[in-house]
Amino acid sequence: MTSQVSSPAEQAVPAEQPSGAAVPSPVDAGPPPAKEVRRLDRVIIRFAGDSGDGMQLTGDRFTSETASFGNDLSTLPNFPAEIRAPAGTLPGVSSFQLHFADHDILTPGDAPDVLVAMNPAALKANLADVPRGGEIIVNTDEFAKRAMAKVGYATSPLEDGTLDAYNVHPVPLTTLTIEALKDFGLSRKESERSKNMFALGLLSWMYHRPTDNTEKFLRKKFAKKPEIAEANVAAFRAGWNFGETTEDFAVSYEVAPATSAFPAGTYRNISGNLALSYGLIAAARQADLPLYLGSYPITPASDILHELSKHKNFGVRTFQAEDEIAGIGAALGAAFGGALAVTTTSGPGVALKSETIGLAVSLELPLLIVDIQRGGPSTGLPTKTEQADLLQAMYGRNGEAPVPIVAPKTPADCFDAALDAARIALTYRTPVFLLSDGYLANGSEPWRIPEPDELPDLRTRFATGPNHTLADGTEVFWPYKRDPETLARPWAVPGTPGLEHRIGGIEKQDGTGNISYDPANHDFMVRTRQAKTDGVTVPDLTVDDPSGTARTLVLGWGSTYGPITAAVRRVRAAGDEIAQAHLRHLNPFPANLGDVLKQYDRVVVPEMNLGQLATLLRARYLVDVRSHTQVSGMPFKAAQLADVLKEAIDD
C-alpha cells in the first residue's frame, strides 16, 4: 500500500468547481487563473489540533462528503481520554485520519500524505508519522513563543529547518477566519472557534469534495443559534475561496469514485458502534421481540446507549443504570421476561458484570454482552484500542461457565456480527459475548444497506404449556428439559399459566429445575452446558490461498482484519505466497480450524494483546503458532505487518 501524495500516473485535467453552493470570490479579485488538477488513486489526510479545536467534527464532515462522493474510505479518530485536556499540550492533541481512494481499501493508512496542524502541539505529536515530501498545512497564528515552549520547541519549527523535508503551507487560519467573520458581530473567541470550518473548506477545495451537505449540516446543528450557523458556513466558504484564490495552493487533487469497489446497492458511511446498534435493532425485529438495553456509560461503548435510546419506535427500551452490575442485572431480568436483552460495556465493566454473566449461564437465558475493548488493565487507556479481553471473555467467571464469543472484523461487519450473536443467544438460550474494540467502534467505512429479505429469520418460540409427562400420566412443565438438537431449555415467559418454575444461581436438577446438590447431577449439568456451547453451529473457516501452495498462514481475529489483509496484499504484490484466514467465532472455534492449522508449516497470529488467541490455539491444537503482538493503543500498520510476514515466509 503506497501513501504518496503524487504518483507517476497523475494527469493534469481542467480545473472545475466542486458541487454544492458557489463560494464568492473577493470583491477586488479578478478571475483567478485556472489551477492544475491532479488525479490520485488514494490519499490519507490527518486533521490534528487541541481536543477543543473540533478536529473530530471536521474529520467527520470531510468523511461524510467523501462517502457521498462515492470513494471507498476508512477512518481513525484518535482523541485524549480527558473531556477537556490541557490546551496546547501533547496529551491534549486530538486527531482524525481519513484514507479514501478510487478502489477497495482496508485501513485508515499507515502515514498521512497531508497533515493539518492547528498548533505546535499537533505538529510535534504527528510530524514523525508524515513521510518525507508530505504536505503540511500549519496554522501559523498559533506558533507564539509560549505555545511552542509548552511542547519543547526552543525555536520555531517553521523557521529553523525542521520542516525542510516537507511541502509546507503556512496559513494564518485564525486570522483569516476572524477576518471572514468580522461582519457577524461575534467576539474574537467566538470567531476563532470556526477556524476548523475554514480548514475544512480549504481541504474541500483541495480535494474537490461536495459542499452542499456540510452547509446543511451546519445550519441544522446550530439551528437554535442561526448567527453561529451562518458564521460557520461563512468560514467554510472562506476556506474554500482561499484555496481557489491563493498562490500557495497551485494544485488541487481529484480522487475518482470507487465505482468498481462496491457491489450494487445503497450505501452509507457508518461507524462500528452505529452499525452494531442497527444490528441489534434488526435482530430484535427479525426475532419479533422487544429490544432491551441495560447499560452503564463507559468509553468507548456509550455511543450504543445513545443511539438505541433514539429508537423507541422500534420497540427499543434503554435503561441507564447506576452501575455496571445494575445494568446487566436489569438486562438479565428483561431476558427472563421475554426480551432480546443486551448489556454494553468495556473491559473494566466486564469484570464487574462477571457474576451476573455466570448467573445467565446457570439460568440459560439469551443475553448479549457487548464488550467494546480498550487499553487496560483497570482504567487503562479509555480512548485507545486493544484486543486484550479475549481470555476474560473465555474464562473470566467462577466455575465452568462457557460463553460463545463472536468478533466483528470491520466497522460495517459489526451489523452482521450483532445478528449472528443474537442468533446464537436465541437458538441456544445462552449469554453471548460480542467482542468489538475502540478501533472498530469509532472508525467508519461504507456499508451497503441490506434489503429486509436478506436478513435472517430469528423468530423463536416461547413455551406455552406442559412439555413432560410423568409416570402417572400427569402433564407438567420441566424448565430444564432440553431440545435434543441444540440442548437449549424452554423459554417460559413469566405469567404464563402452568409454567411457574424456580430460577436462581444454585445448581438445578436436570429436567425439573429443582435445586440439586447431587454430585452426579452437577457433573452432568456442567458437561451439558459445555456441550451446548461446543455444539453451536458456526461456519467452517475460509482460507484465502490463491496459489494453493503457500506454506505460511496468517490468522487473525477481530479488528486486525484490515491491517492483515493490507499486509497480505503487499506481500503477494512482492511475489511471495501467503495464505490468510480470519476468525469471527472464537468460542466455539470453527470445526475445521485444527485441520487448517496443520496444513501450513508456519502460522502467524497478529494480535493487539500479548498473544491471547495464540495461547488458546497452542493449548487446543498443539500447534506452535508464531505470535506477533502490539499493545500501543493503536492499530497495526500494514507496512510493519508485511515485514513480519515476509520474515516468517523466509525463515
Side-chain angles (χ1 to χ4, degrees):
M1 179 186 299
T2 61
S3 55
Q4 299 296 318
V5 174
S6 304
S7 71
E10 291 172 355
Q11 300 175 350
V13 298
E16 60 184 38
Q17 293 267 22
S19 63
V23 182
S25 298
V27 175
D28 58 349
K35 293 188 176 184
E36 180 184 359
V37 180
R38 297 179 186 171
R39 288 179 178 157
L40 306 177
D41 63 350
R42 72 174 77 201
V43 69
I44 303 168
I45 299 173
R46 183 181 297 175
F47 299 93
D50 269 338
S51 57
D53 283 340
M55 294 298 93
Q56 302 306 314
L57 175 63
T58 305
D60 184 67
R61 287 314 312 160
F62 196 93
T63 299
S64 295
E65 298 295 0
T66 297
S68 68
F69 188 72
N71 296 118
D72 196 10
L73 62 89
S74 180
T75 67
L76 178 62
N78 185 19
F79 41 86
E82 291 79 10
I83 294 174
R84 189 67 170 92
T89 65
L90 294 175
V93 173
S94 173
S95 67
F96 189 106
Q97 182 162 306
L98 166 67
H99 182 193
F100 60 102
D102 64 3
H103 57 277
D104 174 41
I105 59 173
L106 298 155
T107 74
D110 287 359
D113 302 312
V114 181
L115 171 65
V116 180
M118 303 298 281
N119 60 21
L123 178 66
K124 187 162 190 177
N126 293 279
L127 184 59
D129 292 336
V130 182
R132 295 175 65 86
E135 300 211 30
I136 299 176
I137 300 171
V138 60
N139 180 15
T140 56
D141 286 329
E142 297 298 322
F143 280 72
K145 287 185 178 181
R146 182 178 179 184
M148 291 187 291
K150 192 179 291 188
V151 295
Y153 281 132
T155 58
S156 173
L158 308 181
E159 302 171 353
D160 63 7
T162 300
L163 304 181
D164 286 352
Y166 308 95
N167 183 14
V168 180
H169 300 277
V171 181
L173 287 172
T174 306
T175 298
L176 290 172
T177 302
I178 293 173
E179 176 65 20
L181 304 184
K182 63 182 180 181
D183 296 330
F184 281 82
L186 302 177
S187 68
R188 179 183 177 88
K189 185 175 182 180
E190 288 173 328
S191 296
E192 284 183 6
R193 289 174 180 166
S194 296
K195 64 180 180 288
N196 63 322
M197 288 297 105
F198 189 101
L200 178 59
L202 173 58
L203 269 292
S204 297
W205 169 84
M206 194 171 175
Y207 290 97
H208 294 251
R209 298 297 91 183
T211 61
D212 268 350
N213 288 335
T214 291
E215 294 191 10
K216 291 177 182 177
F217 168 84
L218 291 171
R219 291 190 172 102
K220 181 178 180 181
K221 180 177 177 64
F222 298 105
K224 295 182 179 180
K225 297 181 178 180
E227 70 282 359
I228 299 297
E230 293 308 315
N232 276 282
V233 170
F236 174 69
R237 290 181 175 182
W240 195 97
N241 189 49
F242 177 78
E244 178 73 6
T245 57
T246 183
E247 295 181 359
D248 190 45
F249 290 89
V251 178
S252 63
Y253 304 92
E254 281 188 345
V255 180
T259 53
S260 61
F262 307 119
T266 302
Y267 286 79
R268 61 156 295 168
N269 184 52
I270 200 165
S271 68
N273 274 352
L274 184 57
L276 204 157
S277 300
Y278 287 174
L280 294 172
I281 295 171
R285 300 290 285 185
Q286 292 302 107
D288 197 21
L289 296 173
L291 178 64
Y292 184 93
L293 173 66
S295 181
Y296 179 75
I298 184 171
T299 303
S302 299
D303 288 343
I304 301 172
L305 172 61
H306 301 160
E307 182 61 33
L308 290 181
S309 68
K310 303 174 184 177
H311 298 288
K312 297 180 178 65
N313 56 312
F314 287 117
V316 180
R317 298 176 183 174
T318 53
F319 169 55
Q320 180 175 321
E322 66 268 28
D323 55 40
E324 296 281 3
I325 298 172
I328 189 173
L332 184 56
F336 179 59
L340 177 58
V342 185
T343 189
T344 53
T345 190
S346 189
V350 174
L352 292 167
K353 295 178 188 290
S354 61
E355 182 179 9
T356 307
I357 297 171
L359 177 60
V361 172
S362 177
L363 297 182
E364 300 189 44
L365 288 170
L367 174 67
L368 301 184
I369 306 115
V370 178
D371 177 7
I372 313 297
Q373 300 168 95
R374 71 190 206 188
S378 188
T379 305
L381 302 173
T383 61
K384 309 301 181 184
T385 194
E386 209 161 272
Q387 289 182 300
D389 291 350
L390 176 56
L391 293 183
Q392 181 177 211
M394 283 286 289
Y395 302 121
R397 295 162 295 282
N398 66 298
E400 297 287 347
V403 175
I405 303 172
V406 176
K409 63 183 181 181
T410 68
D413 187 49
C414 289
F415 178 87
D416 295 318
L419 286 164
D420 197 12
R423 171 190 68 85
I424 295 171
L426 294 170
T427 302
Y428 296 90
R429 309 286 196 276
T430 179
V432 176
F433 263 104
L434 198 161
L435 291 184
S436 181
D437 59 44
Y439 173 42
L440 296 183
N442 297 316
S444 64
E445 65 177 354
W447 171 59
R448 187 182 71 83
I449 302 172
E451 297 296 329
D453 58 7
E454 296 175 339
L455 301 178
D457 184 353
L458 300 179
R459 287 175 294 181
T460 187
R461 293 182 179 179
F462 292 116
T464 58
N467 62 354
H468 184 75
T469 303
L470 299 176
D472 63 2
T474 304
E475 292 187 340
V476 296
F477 174 67
W478 275 15
Y480 281 82
K481 184 172 184 177
R482 302 178 183 279
D483 181 298
E485 182 177 345
T486 64
L487 299 181
R489 79 175 187 89
W491 194 0
V493 176
T496 306
L499 303 191
E500 298 85 357
H501 61 283
R502 185 178 285 106
I503 63 169
I506 298 178
E507 186 63 280
K508 305 297 185 296
Q509 184 181 47
D510 178 49
T512 68
N514 294 327
I515 291 174
S516 173
Y517 296 100
D518 179 65
N521 177 78
H522 177 61
D523 184 274
F524 177 82
M525 293 292 280
V526 169
R527 295 181 187 277
T528 299
R529 288 188 288 263
Q530 183 65 57
K532 182 172 69 170
T533 298
D534 293 342
V536 170
T537 301
V538 301
D540 277 350
L541 182 65
T542 301
V543 180
D544 175 26
D545 187 358
S547 67
T549 58
R551 303 315 310 151
T552 301
L553 170 71
V554 56
L555 178 67
W557 70 276
S559 66
T560 57
Y561 173 79
I564 289 175
T565 306
V568 165
R569 289 180 179 179
R570 288 179 177 231
V571 170
R572 290 174 179 168
D576 290 302
E577 295 182 345
I578 190 167
Q580 179 188 1
H582 206 78
L583 290 168
R584 167 180 279 183
H585 299 94
L586 297 157
N587 192 30
F589 286 130
N592 68 331
L593 177 56
D595 292 336
V596 168
L597 296 177
K598 293 174 183 177
Q599 291 174 12
Y600 296 91
D601 297 335
R602 295 168 293 274
V603 178
V604 182
V605 180
E607 299 179 78
M608 292 188 294
N609 56 49
L610 295 183
Q612 296 186 14
L613 176 60
T615 297
L616 294 173
L617 296 176
R618 289 172 182 144
R620 177 73 178 271
Y621 301 106
L622 303 181
V623 174
D624 187 20
V625 301
R626 302 187 181 192
S627 181
H628 177 69
T629 64
Q630 175 176 301
V631 284
S632 63
M634 297 294 288
F636 284 112
K637 292 185 176 181
Q640 295 173 348
L641 276 183
D643 291 340
V644 170
L645 298 181
K646 175 64 174 173
E647 291 176 6
I649 293 170
D650 294 341
D651 190 357

